């Protein structure tokens, strides 16, 4: 049976005093981490907002904030975000698993250089590559297509992420080579080995890159700002900035839009929670 201890070592302590300490520490953690979320949830459904008062239930429950958010095209921006994150995450995961398989299982010249390039891309702030990226998207090399003002312009740049590739590469290296060799002896081809043996064993890593990839794409601000010249192409993070600067929009509408922007990330984590936790702890429990 696997046992996890906290960094404070509270699990090893017994007695009434230790139990009281545990309750106080865990209650404090719950308040700190869930308090802002509860406040946002309650305020989004409140008709009258009092920023100096915290309550677990709105005094004047209403859906008017969400109705007004719809009048401000928030649901259209939400749809744009789902389109970008849906196709972008699918492309990113496909690129990550195939690239990781090549790096983990194949030997070729320049592999160390490829890994160095991927690490370098993770160290560059988005602001540095904003201008070069806008020039590339305005005139794609070879095909000479203009992707400004298209969904493809927001999807293709997030299709490859160094973090996801590195996570998958390190996880695939831990898959026993004997399984692959046995499959080859039985006559299995490259694709059958990949989809039938390697990929199923990497489901915990897929959960990790799925959660982090979803959050990374969902929170993109600079890329949609570059690609979307018209408000009809905005994603929800850009729309939130616009709503914040609109004096006609009340705080309740802004909080309702913020809640809509937050919920998908929470749902994504809950959906991949088991694989996510297994992926994070698999390296720690080996050996």
């Amino acid at each position: 049976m696997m046992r996890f201890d906290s960094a404070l070592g509270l699990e090893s302590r017994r007695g009434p005093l230790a139990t009281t300490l545990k309750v106080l520490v865990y209650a404090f953690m719950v308040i700190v981490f869930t308090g802002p979320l509860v406040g946002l949830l309650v305020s989004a459904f409140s008709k009258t907002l009092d920023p100096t008062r915290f309550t677990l239930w709105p005094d004047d429950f209403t859906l008017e904030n969400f109705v007004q958010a719809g009048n401000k095209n928030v649901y259209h921006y939400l749809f744009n975000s789902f389109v970008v994150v849906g196709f972008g995450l699918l492309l990113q995961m496909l690129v990550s698993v195939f690239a990781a398989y090549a790096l983990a299982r194949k030997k070729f010249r320049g592999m160390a250089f490829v890994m160095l390039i991927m690490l370098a891309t993770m160290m560059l702030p988005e602001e540095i590559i904003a201008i070069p990226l806008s020039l590339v998207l305005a005139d794609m090399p070879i095909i000479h297509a203009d992707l400004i003002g298209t969904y493809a312009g927001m999807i293709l740049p997030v299709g490859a992420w160094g973090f996801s590739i590195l996570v998958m590469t390190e996880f695939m290296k831990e898959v026993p080579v004997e399984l692959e060799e046995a499959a080859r002896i039985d006559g299995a081809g490259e694709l059958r080995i990949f989809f039938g043996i390697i990929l199923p064993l990497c489901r915990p890593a897929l959960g990790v890159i799925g959660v982090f990839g979803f959050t990374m794409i969902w929170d993109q601000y600079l890329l949609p700002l570059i690609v979307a010249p018209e408000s009809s192409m905005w994603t929800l993070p850009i729309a939130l900035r616009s709503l914040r600067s609109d004096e006609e929009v009340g705080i309740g509408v802004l909080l309702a839009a913020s809640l809509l922007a937050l919920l998908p990330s929470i749902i994504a984590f809950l959906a991949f929670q088991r694989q996510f936790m297994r992926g994070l702890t698999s390296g720690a429990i080996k050996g």
Side-chain angles (χ1 to χ4, degrees):
M1 181 178 178
M2 191 180 301
R3 182 171 178 264
F4 295 95
D5 293 336
S6 71
L8 299 176
L10 297 178
E11 287 77 7
S12 61
R13 301 184 180 277
R14 298 292 184 268
L17 182 60
T19 302
T20 303
L21 181 61
K22 291 178 188 179
V23 172
L24 292 176
V25 171
Y26 295 148
F28 175 75
M29 293 173 61
V30 169
I31 293 174
V32 169
F33 289 106
T34 65
L37 177 60
V38 173
L40 174 62
L41 182 64
V42 171
S43 299
F45 291 97
S46 297
K47 192 170 186 179
T48 57
L49 300 177
D50 185 0
T52 63
R53 183 182 177 190
F54 181 82
T55 178
L56 296 177
W57 186 259
D59 295 331
D60 194 2
F61 184 86
T62 182
L63 296 176
E64 183 64 23
N65 293 329
F66 294 90
V67 174
Q68 294 298 325
N71 296 335
K72 293 294 183 178
N73 294 326
V74 168
Y75 298 112
H76 177 72
Y77 304 139
L78 182 64
F79 172 78
N80 290 341
S81 293
F82 277 122
V83 170
V84 174
V85 77
F87 288 99
L89 183 59
L90 177 62
L91 178 61
Q92 185 180 110
M93 296 184 73
L94 287 175
V95 171
S96 297
V97 296
F98 283 112
Y101 182 68
L103 293 171
R105 287 300 200 236
K106 308 301 178 182
K107 303 297 182 182
F108 56 90
R109 288 184 178 181
M111 183 165 56
F113 179 73
V114 173
M115 297 291 288
L116 181 62
I117 292 297
M118 286 193 300
L119 286 172
T121 60
M122 296 170 59
M123 299 175 186
L124 292 175
E126 292 183 344
E127 293 78 8
I128 293 180
I129 63 175
I131 295 178
L133 181 61
S134 63
L135 296 176
V136 170
L137 292 176
D139 186 13
M140 288 290 293
I142 303 177
I143 61 176
H144 298 291
D146 184 6
L147 299 184
I148 300 297
T150 65
Y151 285 117
M154 290 184 278
I155 294 172
L156 290 180
V158 299
W161 190 25
F163 174 81
S164 296
I165 296 175
L166 290 175
V167 169
M168 290 300 304
T169 300
E170 295 303 316
F171 204 92
M172 285 186 181
K173 286 180 180 179
E174 300 295 335
V175 177
V177 181
E178 292 77 12
L179 295 176
E180 187 176 344
E181 294 175 346
R184 292 186 189 280
I185 294 175
D186 291 339
E190 200 74 34
L191 290 178
R192 184 178 177 183
I193 293 174
F194 177 74
F195 287 106
I197 298 177
I198 304 295
L199 206 56
L201 293 175
C202 293
R203 279 185 291 182
L206 292 174
V208 173
I209 68 172
V211 172
F212 280 107
F214 184 96
T215 305
M216 186 273 285
I217 300 173
W218 186 264
D219 293 340
Q220 282 289 321
Y221 180 82
L222 188 60
L223 177 60
L225 192 64
I226 294 173
V227 176
E230 302 293 336
S231 60
S232 59
M233 290 291 298
W234 285 357
T235 55
L236 199 51
I238 301 179
L240 287 175
R241 182 66 182 86
S242 176
L243 290 175
R244 185 179 178 183
S245 60
D246 191 347
E247 296 180 356
E248 298 181 358
V249 176
I251 185 64
V253 177
L254 182 60
L255 291 175
S258 300
L259 180 62
L260 292 174
L262 178 63
L263 285 180
S265 297
I266 297 176
I267 295 173
F269 172 76
L270 294 177
F272 291 101
Q273 181 182 12
R274 179 175 299 178
Q275 290 79 10
F276 179 78
M277 298 306 299
R278 287 179 57 194
L280 290 181
T281 59
S282 59
I285 62 177
K286 288 182 183 295

